[in-house]
Amino acid sequence: MSVAFTFPGQGSQAVGMGKELADAFPEAAAVFAEVDEALGENLSTLMFEGPESHLTLTANAQPALMAVSMAVMRVLEARGFSLSQHASYVAGHSLGEYSALCAAGALSIVDTARLLRIRGNAMQSAVPVGEGAMAAIIGLEHTDVQAICDEAFVHGTCQIANDNGGGQLVISGAKPAVERAARIATEKGAKRALMLSVSAPFHSALMAPAAEAMREALAQVEMKAPVVPLIANVRAAPVTDPKEITGLLVEQVTGQVRWRETVEWFAANDVTTLYEIGSGRVLSGLARRIDKSVTGTAVNTPSEIESALAALLG
């Protein structure tokens, strides 16, 4: 039985994120200062004080979530934790994949912050506002939702963006196609088909310009082999080769986040505990719904850090 570290994606941000960590731990405050310097702005002030409308902007939320995850990691490491000794794998949900790679030593904090700022801006600008959309489909299986996307494709791009497990899938694409797919899903018995308040159709083919932007940006940074394998979003399988990881990060921009399959892979490979490192506890909740043999444990407060250390270090 082994442990994996997971890292949250967009939607887990909240005003005040990281402040308790910065106040309690100098290692955490140092991470926030390093990210601020890398971006040339006081992102930490926005994280701690808001306004929420600015924090939720994709270009801000992505590096902010990474910063909190890495703050937790640095606090754990300063107290004797070693990812290579005490965990077997890492994985992250969408942008969380960058946090996972940073935690595993594949990317520096500075490079990760800058990459996520580029990624956020590129994803936001890839599609004119109002032309794309996303919707959450609750209560249907993957094959059913895929068939619905295929049916709606006559109205434009429509595909599964996130398979979050527990009967929760998110679709993405051209607004007319996604709206049509949501109506079809309701007709076919979905418990809910909810249009999401998002600024762009993430993880769809419409993000191709952003994928190219990330291909160029990733070519400019050093990617090392992670100290433990990454379970990649678009593959739901382990990968360690830096060149392969870089290609998968590009593919991820337009590809499906296969989170259900990722947790199922953990369960099938004797991983019983997933520590969710950073803001929120979304991934811990998803883990319980996907496979009850896997325990999700959120680690983002001083008390949760102490509990995690006690469990991990014995």
Side-chain angles (χ1 to χ4, degrees), residues 38-302:
L39 298 178
E41 62 183 67
N42 288 325
L43 180 66
S44 58
T45 300
L46 177 60
M47 293 162 57
F48 301 163
E49 301 175 8
E52 185 178 8
S53 59
H54 289 183
L55 180 60
T56 55
L57 293 173
T58 301
N60 292 328
Q62 295 198 21
L65 285 162
M66 181 278 297
V68 176
S69 291
M70 288 310 302
V72 174
M73 288 299 301
R74 292 294 182 260
V75 173
L76 292 172
E77 290 163 354
R79 284 149 185 78
F81 171 79
S82 166
L83 190 67
S84 61
Q85 293 179 31
H86 300 114
S88 299
Y89 305 97
V90 291
H93 193 285
S94 191
L95 82 91
E97 195 153 78
Y98 287 80
S99 306
L101 289 165
C102 188
L107 290 168
S108 70
I109 287 179
V110 168
D111 283 343
T112 309
R114 290 173 178 166
L115 285 169
L116 286 172
R117 171 56 56 81
I118 292 168
R119 185 177 184 268
N121 282 327
M123 293 173 81
Q124 184 62 63
S125 62
V127 179
V129 174
E131 291 189 11
M134 299 180 76
I137 309 298
I138 312 297
L140 294 178
E141 296 301 317
H142 188 282
T143 52
D144 298 325
V145 177
Q146 184 58 60
I148 289 166
C149 288
D150 292 343
E151 186 176 341
F153 208 86
V154 67
H155 299 284
T157 296
C158 187
Q159 65 192 81
I160 296 174
N162 302 336
D163 180 0
N164 289 328
Q168 180 193 121
L169 293 105
V170 176
I171 61 174
S172 182
K175 188 176 182 181
V178 172
E179 289 176 338
R180 176 59 182 149
R183 291 194 295 271
I184 297 170
T186 300
E187 293 165 4
K188 291 186 178 294
K191 292 178 183 176
R192 293 189 73 187
L194 178 68
M195 298 299 296
L196 300 179
S197 178
V198 294
S199 55
F202 304 130
H203 298 289
S204 78
L206 298 179
M207 289 286 108
E212 286 308 307
M214 291 315 299
R215 190 189 308 279
E216 294 175 10
L218 285 160
Q220 304 302 313
V221 303
E222 180 186 8
M223 177 78 71
K224 299 177 181 177
V227 297
V228 296
L230 169 78
I231 309 303
N233 279 182
V234 296
R235 187 173 291 178
V239 59
T240 57
D241 178 72
K243 187 174 181 180
E244 195 173 4
I245 289 170
T246 298
L248 292 172
L249 288 174
V250 174
E251 187 180 338
Q252 184 226 64
V253 178
T254 58
Q256 183 181 152
V257 177
R258 296 166 60 182
W259 197 254
R260 171 183 57 83
E261 294 171 84
T262 296
V263 175
E264 289 173 347
W265 188 95
F266 284 137
N269 287 274
D270 226 18
V271 176
T272 55
T273 304
L274 303 180
Y275 286 95
E276 180 179 3
I277 307 300
S279 183
R281 49 196 70 243
V282 170
L283 300 183
S284 298
L286 291 178
R288 285 190 291 273
R289 293 207 295 269
I290 293 167
D291 193 309
K292 288 184 168 47
S293 71
V294 177
T295 300
T297 301
V299 184
N300 61 43
T301 67

